[in-house]
Amino acid sequence: MGISIFEIIGPIMIGPSSSHTAGMARIGMMACRIIGDGAVSIHLDLSPKMRSTYAGHRSDAALIGGVIGLRESDPEIRNAIAQARSCGIAVSVGFLPEGLYPQNTAMLTVADRAGRTTKVLGTSVGGGSIVISAVDDVPLQVSPEAYHLIVWSSASLPEDLWAGAAVQSGRNSQGFVTCLTFPAMPSPEVCRSVENAGGVYRVSVVEPVLEYGVSLPAEKRYRSFEEVCRVVAETSMPLTEVAVDYEMARSGRSKETVRGQMHKHLAQMKKSVQAGERGSRMLYGLTSGQDGPRMLQAIQAGRTISGGIIPLAVARAIGVMEYNGAMGCIVAAPTAGSSGIVPGAMTAVQEQFGFQDEEIVDALFVSALAGVIMAGREVSFSGSVGGCQGEVGVSSAITAAGLASLFTRDPETVFHAMAMSLKNLLGLVCDPVAGPIEVPCIKRNAVGVANAFTAADMALSGIRSYIPPDEVIDALVDTERRLPPELKCAAVGGLACTGTACRLRERLG
């Protein structure tokens, strides 16, 4: 299934981390749909690498919040653990064995009032996207963007129940667990026939957790910038329309609905910019939460060296990231750890040049299309998997593409802006000090937004990347895979292993 445009410019979520907060909330929501209501205990087993980050990223609260029915954008996610306990639900946290599961994996073991215990295994793969890979120890790919019936039975299901559904099934010590996947909500008749089949003792209807439609079998796929340039040449469609057309084909939703969703994301970006300009009370206080306003004051007093639009974009990027670090509601683009770059750049360029919201939305679609192509070429947007080059690096690159698109319709110029921006940040490590998304994440967003403007200006002046854009993306994938694990959000390498960082980690416990 192809990634949604709104998984690149999105999701709308409570900070501070898209992989460790929003993604975990979605894993919890999928568990909620599989298990149903009535939990009496929730035990979490997390990736060993998350031992030093899960508290700072509120991963436990997000997973538990999802199980009790909270979305990734619900402010109550902040208080989910206390809310669960107030409902009489016991919660606990452990860790998975070393080396057996992908990074950012969580095993949820939930006991319910009916006396059943259900296990759900999920992985957050970056930018809030997730996969569910097992239910009750049976390997199943339960997509968060499709409709499923999860069926527990003492015998295998008869094949006449499978019409119109994709089927996965496996056996554990109690019997069979089967996943029937449908492109739309299965009818009541289908549900009843499954429930009444011989040997079936439990059925769960699992609806999508994504709020922007399912992925349809007939969706379009774009895996190269060269392919998109060819589509533009053959159809005369602007890049914005290529992006909208892709999302319509992926989700089956109308153009008006798709564009309306992007307007919603732009509106939330503007709210986060405004909140950041007022300053934030940080979750852990590693930074003041006032650096965004401090930069704005310097601009107003004429004390910035560079002058012009870049300091304004930098101030706003910092402010949004501070708001994210305070568990504010932001738009991941493509991750929460890089959520300041796109809104900082787009609101600054809109203010400077007088673009209408509709034009900024067009640019956001171009940015998202660049991210879709990156995903199609196997780029990871998770700092735990690929380092900060997959977060700030990617965000800077898609921002450069969006900025360039506001001033040209030439796709080659747009994609070379992307390529030059990304080349400048290849190898950027992920080394959060003591775990929280504060140091050095916030200030790296400032570098990312300045880099995006520089790359866009170079491309618009006629400068081209010597390495073609598609090959630059392949170089990113290669670098992500070669980067040592200590420099991938492990909180043990880079800045995270300095004396100051070690003393802080010890103080925070």
Side-chain angles (χ1 to χ4, degrees):
M1 294 183 177
I3 192 169
S4 170
I5 287 288
F6 302 109
E7 292 286 272
I8 305 297
I9 304 297
I12 297 173
M13 56 162 285
I14 301 297
S17 171
S18 45
S19 291
H20 291 168
T21 315
M24 294 299 162
R26 285 175 165 180
I27 291 172
M29 282 190 287
M30 285 295 289
C32 178
R33 285 158 167 71
I34 293 168
I35 295 161
D37 296 328
V40 296
S41 72
I42 303 169
H43 177 73
L44 312 175
D45 285 303
L46 309 177
S47 294
K49 194 174 179 181
M50 292 175 64
R51 194 181 297 270
S52 58
T53 59
Y54 84 93
H57 297 174
R58 288 295 195 266
S59 304
D60 50 350
L63 284 161
I64 291 163
V67 174
I68 64 175
L70 301 177
R71 293 198 63 84
E72 71 271 15
S73 58
D74 193 326
E76 288 302 312
I77 220 83
R78 302 165 183 147
N79 308 309
I81 296 175
Q83 189 170 324
R85 286 175 172 156
S86 70
C87 295
I89 301 172
V91 300
S92 56
V93 178
F95 296 92
L96 294 166
E98 196 76 53
L100 296 183
Y101 299 94
Q103 299 298 339
N104 302 338
T105 293
M107 174 82 79
L108 291 80
T109 304
V110 181
D112 62 25
R113 286 194 291 266
R116 302 173 302 203
T117 298
T118 308
K119 295 165 66 176
V120 176
L121 184 71
T123 301
S124 179
V125 295
S129 299
I130 65 167
V131 294
I132 301 298
S133 53
V135 176
D136 283 340
D137 299 321
V138 173
L140 299 171
Q141 296 296 317
V142 187
S143 167
E145 52 198 73
Y147 292 88
H148 312 277
L149 293 181
I150 306 295
V151 186
W152 291 261
S153 59
S154 57
S156 59
L157 296 179
E159 293 190 13
D160 59 359
L161 294 178
W162 298 1
V167 182
Q168 307 167 72
S169 189
R171 190 168 191 169
N172 60 22
S173 58
Q174 283 76 47
F176 291 84
V177 184
T178 302
C179 176
L180 306 176
T181 301
F182 300 84
M185 174 68 86
S187 69
E189 291 76 20
V190 168
C191 294
R192 279 196 297 271
S193 64
V194 171
E195 289 169 352
N196 294 330
V200 170
Y201 57 86
R202 182 181 174 191
V203 177
S204 289
V205 180
V206 181
E207 298 183 26
V209 300
L210 305 187
E211 61 176 343
Y212 24 82
V214 301
S215 285
L216 301 177
E219 65 181 293
K220 299 185 178 184
R221 299 290 181 94
Y222 292 116
R223 292 189 174 91
S224 73
F225 295 104
E226 183 179 353
E227 179 185 4
V228 171
C229 287
R230 186 167 59 249
V231 169
V232 170
E234 291 172 355
T235 65
S236 298
M237 292 170 63
L239 287 172
T240 294
E241 290 305 312
V242 174
V244 172
D245 188 58
Y246 164 85
E247 185 63 20
M248 290 167 60
R250 187 203 67 81
S251 65
R253 301 197 306 166
S254 68
K255 178 183 290 189
E256 293 73 19
T257 301
V258 169
R259 292 192 65 87
Q261 183 78 38
M262 190 63 85
H263 274 280
K264 178 181 176 182
H265 285 222
L266 175 58
Q268 187 58 50
M269 284 185 182
K270 290 185 175 185
K271 289 178 182 177
S272 67
V273 167
Q274 292 166 0
E277 289 180 344
R278 295 191 294 268
S280 300
R281 184 177 180 180
M282 306 301 291
L283 199 61
Y284 280 84
L286 306 192
T287 61
S288 67
Q290 301 298 317
D291 286 345
R294 186 173 288 120
M295 186 75 176
L296 286 175
Q297 291 167 9
I299 294 168
Q300 293 161 1
R303 292 188 283 108
T304 57
I305 298 172
S306 52
I309 194 172
I310 291 180
L312 177 60
V314 165
R316 290 178 172 174
I318 291 172
V320 170
M321 276 298 294
E322 289 178 323
Y323 185 55
N324 173 65
M327 294 193 81
C329 188
I330 53 88
V331 179
T335 70
S338 61
S339 59
I341 298 172
V342 172
M346 291 301 169
T347 60
V349 79
Q350 181 173 26
E351 184 174 311
Q352 183 87 6
F353 291 92
F355 289 112
Q356 300 299 309
D357 279 0
E358 200 70 23
E359 295 171 293
I360 299 298
V361 162
D362 285 346
L364 292 175
F365 275 114
V366 173
S367 292
L369 180 63
V372 164
I373 295 168
M374 291 184 192
R377 296 185 83 84
E378 300 186 357
V379 170
S380 172
F381 302 140
S382 168
S384 298
V385 177
C388 200
Q389 59 188 339
E391 297 199 31
V392 165
V394 166
S395 185
S396 182
I398 67 174
T399 300
L403 287 172
S405 75
L406 288 165
F407 299 91
T408 181
R409 288 187 57 166
D410 175 34
E412 181 180 331
T413 299
V414 169
F415 294 145
H416 277 270
M418 179 284 306
M420 288 187 284
S421 176
L422 190 58
K423 284 162 59 178
N424 293 340
L425 296 177
L426 275 182
L428 187 59
V429 303
C430 182
D431 52 352
V433 170
I437 309 290
E438 296 184 26
V439 179
C441 319
I442 293 172
K443 297 180 182 70
R444 283 196 179 142
N445 275 245
V447 171
V449 78
N451 179 54
F453 276 97
T454 301
D457 277 339
M458 286 194 291
L460 290 166
S461 72
I463 298 173
R464 293 294 179 261
S465 170
Y466 184 82
I467 305 299
D470 287 320
E471 293 183 31
V472 173
I473 301 306
D474 295 341
L476 171 61
V477 173
D478 177 73
T479 309
E480 287 187 329
R481 291 171 179 171
R482 292 178 189 271
L483 200 67
E486 294 82 3
L487 299 176
K488 297 178 180 180
C489 200
V492 295
L495 292 173
C497 70
T498 59
T500 297
C502 291
R503 288 190 295 273
L504 175 65
R505 188 163 62 243
E506 184 177 344
R507 178 168 62 84
L508 292 177

